[in-house]
Amino acid sequence: MLERTAVLILLPGIALADPAFRAVSVSDHVYAGGWEHFVGGGIAAFDCNDDLFPELFVAGGSNPATLFRNRTGVRADPTRLRPDTPDTLAITGVIGAYPLDIDSDGRLDLAVLRVGENLLLKGEPDCNFAPFEQDLGFHSDDRWTTSFTATWEQGQSLPTLAFGNYVDRTDPEGPFEACDINQLYRPENRAYSNPTVLEPGFCALSALFSDWNRQGRADLRLSNDRHYYVRGGEEQLWAMEPEPRLYTSEEGWQSYSLWGMGIASRDITGDGLPEVYLSSMADQLFQIREGDGPTWVPAPYSLGTSAQRPHLGDDGRPSTGWHIAFGDVNNDGRDDAFIAKGNVEQMPSNAMEDPNSLLIQGEDGVFREISVEAGVASMARSRGAALIDLNLDGRLDLAVVNRRVPLEVYQNAAEASGHWLEVALTQPGPNTRAVGAWIELRVDGRIHAREITVGGGHASGAAVPEHFGLGPAEKADLRVIWPDGATSDWIEVDADCILRVSRTADGLAIERL
């Protein structure tokens, strides 16, 4: 543990001024509703009209969901988002959504999580969507779905889908100790059939398929809410064998019980394997990989990642964390973290005035809170979020969904920022977006490793080019480990651009966008 922590706090980089964000004016959109929408409030970020600028599809709960079209038009111009929602997306009961190319036709589709039947919607030209044909075989029953993740298993033409469900609303003994089952859809013969039941279920609020040990297989991690499982539950990691099973303590799995809300995964230590950051009530749990098994241990408190109480105001009760996301917001070559926070509704044990957190990683690897200085310390009851580049200027912007108050959007307006690179992978179908691939960037002797995943966060997903801060480096070496394990050669690329990296028979084709 001590050796790995030393690696964690000695990563190279440059010192830059703290980030600064400014609010972007958008039409009011509110995530609302009763008990079934105390959780959720997700956002999907993706380009649905092929102009590179990402759109935002925002859950509304009891209000209709809204698609905000990105009308910025010119790179680095002020961000402009306008509501323009096709009828198929203007639906109620939406908890959140995740973009992915389900049928490998090159267009992004949507998995929409709902209170009720979940939807798989096929992407069509100019941000239109339609239900998939019946031959896809997907059928959803009436549940309260609060988490989602997807991966492509070897040899399959369709993705494997996992839906995490919350409380079973039909249980007369509920809601406590009434967590619903979770469901796994594995394709057979180019179609889905009845899902595999994953139980016990402990009220999953976040799910993530990840090849955590880079063994060539993505396993399923679930973060669960002990508020309703109360006792007997824990975080879960399912080994995706022909018959899925839970990892055991004999294999190295360490049991944790928390009020799990969101999952973020990123290689922070620089060893090429992902750490895990879990949002929760009371504190946020940053876990560092240890050993060769499925073992993560809590980071020391001195790392600055617990973010356990409000850092603004005089409410000293514990914070409630929801969406959690890594990203280098000042492009200094070190990943930072955003945490959306807010009371469930009127939970007296937790802070009512609970500002969002923006944790900046310093040269010593320690994270410090700067959301007030950066201008993103909203006191709204925040839920889902997207930390993405909205105006394609190479700096990460921010959109945050709030319960009962309007959506907030912020543009990164920092004057001093390092170099950057954004990388989008593509390969022949199936799995055109290369989910399960790893991008590696070699910068000044350090390798930044990034896994392409669908899932995590809190009901919020993004399918946008992967953003890397490069600090002072004006060039980097890039290679790709594709989902089937094939590894490209290292290729030198210039900084400060967006690249489409395509798989070819001879290696990589790189196009500057």
Side-chain angles (χ1 to χ4, degrees):
M1 174 64 182
L2 292 177
E3 181 179 353
R4 289 181 61 84
T5 303
V7 172
L8 182 67
I9 64 175
L10 292 176
L11 299 179
I14 59 171
L16 295 169
D18 284 341
F21 290 79
R22 63 170 180 80
V24 174
S25 177
V26 293
S27 298
D28 285 354
H29 173 87
V30 175
Y31 181 76
W35 175 55
E36 293 166 323
H37 295 294
F38 284 5
V39 300
I43 185 169
F46 62 112
D47 172 25
C48 59
N49 61 354
D50 299 323
D51 67 354
L52 295 182
F53 292 91
E55 275 70 45
L56 302 177
F57 175 59
V58 188
S62 61
N63 291 328
T66 299
L67 179 69
F68 285 89
R69 296 281 291 265
N70 194 327
R71 302 297 191 186
T72 305
V74 177
R75 296 187 190 189
D77 271 8
T79 298
R80 297 172 62 243
L81 298 168
R82 301 291 183 264
D84 185 4
T85 310
D87 291 343
T88 50
L89 295 185
I91 49 179
T92 59
V94 175
I95 291 283
Y98 289 80
L100 70 164
D101 185 3
I102 294 170
D103 57 356
S104 295
D105 67 350
R107 292 192 179 278
L108 286 167
D109 312 306
L110 280 175
V112 182
L113 317 185
R114 300 178 68 240
V115 176
E117 294 185 1
N118 299 316
L119 302 174
L120 298 183
L121 298 177
K122 177 178 173 59
E124 298 185 333
D126 198 28
C127 295
N128 288 300
F129 292 84
F132 274 95
E133 298 293 335
Q134 292 186 354
D135 58 8
L136 188 68
F138 176 82
H139 299 283
S140 172
D141 47 13
D142 183 348
R143 297 185 188 273
W144 182 0
T145 301
T146 47
S147 57
F148 173 83
T149 185
T151 191
W152 266 260
E153 296 185 273
Q154 291 297 325
Q156 295 294 341
S157 59
L158 290 171
T160 294
L161 313 174
F163 292 84
N165 300 309
Y166 204 45
V167 173
D168 181 355
R169 298 164 294 151
T170 67
D171 190 333
E173 303 298 322
F176 297 103
E177 299 185 77
C179 292
D180 207 346
I181 60 169
N182 300 312
Q183 296 165 300
L184 182 72
Y185 290 80
R186 275 176 154 166
E188 296 181 8
N189 301 320
R190 300 182 60 84
Y192 297 107
S193 56
N194 292 331
T196 299
V197 172
L198 299 179
E199 52 184 349
F202 296 133
C203 291
L205 284 176
S206 192
L208 181 65
F209 276 120
S210 172
D211 186 1
W212 55 271
N213 209 31
R214 300 185 72 167
Q215 60 191 351
R217 185 190 74 196
D219 291 326
L220 173 61
R221 184 152 187 164
L222 298 175
S223 192
N224 302 308
D225 183 7
R226 69 178 298 177
H227 182 71
Y228 284 119
Y229 69 69
V230 184
R231 59 178 179 266
E234 61 172 346
E235 300 291 283
Q236 293 172 307
L237 182 65
W238 291 85
M240 289 297 293
E241 298 173 353
E243 291 294 329
R245 64 170 182 85
L246 289 167
Y247 279 95
T248 66
S249 58
E250 288 75 19
E251 296 171 284
W253 175 251
Q254 294 192 9
S255 178
Y256 289 95
S257 295
L258 64 153
W259 293 266
M261 308 292 197
I263 303 172
S265 179
R266 186 66 58 90
D267 173 25
I268 299 297
T269 65
D271 66 354
L273 300 174
E275 273 65 53
V276 176
Y277 204 178
L278 305 172
S279 57
S280 174
M281 290 194 289
D283 62 27
Q284 324 311 316
L285 181 61
F286 184 81
Q287 294 185 314
I288 300 172
R289 277 295 309 282
E290 183 175 80
D292 297 326
T295 307
W296 290 262
V297 297
Y301 180 80
S302 59
L303 195 67
T305 52
S306 64
Q308 62 187 156
R309 296 186 186 277
H311 52 83
L312 179 66
D314 57 4
D315 193 333
R317 290 171 290 182
S319 285
T320 303
W322 295 91
H323 186 82
I324 191 162
F326 286 113
D328 187 351
V329 298
N330 57 358
N331 290 335
D332 65 354
R334 298 181 291 267
D335 274 303
D336 313 304
F338 173 79
I339 308 169
K341 293 181 175 181
N343 197 287
V344 173
E345 184 67 10
Q346 295 290 332
M347 188 170 287
S349 61
N350 285 64
M352 298 301 299
E353 299 291 320
D354 198 2
N356 296 332
S357 284
L358 181 59
L359 304 178
I360 296 296
Q361 186 182 176
E363 291 183 83
D364 58 359
V366 174
F367 290 80
R368 61 187 176 90
E369 178 66 68
I370 67 145
S371 65
V372 174
E373 296 86 343
V376 296
S378 172
M379 287 290 194
R381 290 182 179 86
S382 297
R383 292 295 190 263
L387 187 62
I388 58 169
D389 183 1
L390 285 169
N391 66 340
L392 306 185
D393 67 350
R395 295 176 293 180
L396 291 174
D397 309 304
L398 177 65
V400 186
V401 184
N402 298 311
R403 174 164 167 76
R404 296 195 294 145
V405 299
L407 169 78
E408 295 173 313
V409 178
Y410 302 91
Q411 184 168 309
N412 192 327
E415 294 184 2
S417 182
H419 294 288
W420 56 276
L421 190 69
E422 296 181 11
V423 180
L425 297 185
T426 183
Q427 65 174 6
N431 189 13
T432 60
R433 298 285 176 131
V435 174
W438 288 80
I439 300 171
E440 293 187 341
L441 282 186
R442 187 167 58 198
V443 183
D444 294 332
R446 181 198 171 193
I447 294 179
H448 301 255
R450 184 79 53 82
E451 183 183 14
I452 307 300
T453 61
V454 176
H458 181 67
S460 301
V464 296
E466 292 292 323
H467 174 274
F468 296 84
L470 302 182
E474 297 181 358
K475 294 182 180 294
D477 297 319
L478 178 148
R479 75 173 178 180
V480 179
I481 297 88
W482 297 100
D484 62 2
T487 303
S488 76
D489 294 331
W490 290 100
I491 296 178
E492 185 179 79
V493 295
D494 292 326
D496 302 329
C497 61
I498 304 172
L499 300 179
R500 179 185 289 126
V501 178
S502 302
R503 185 176 187 175
T504 69
D506 299 324
L508 302 180
I510 298 180
E511 177 186 4
R512 185 165 177 160
L513 301 178

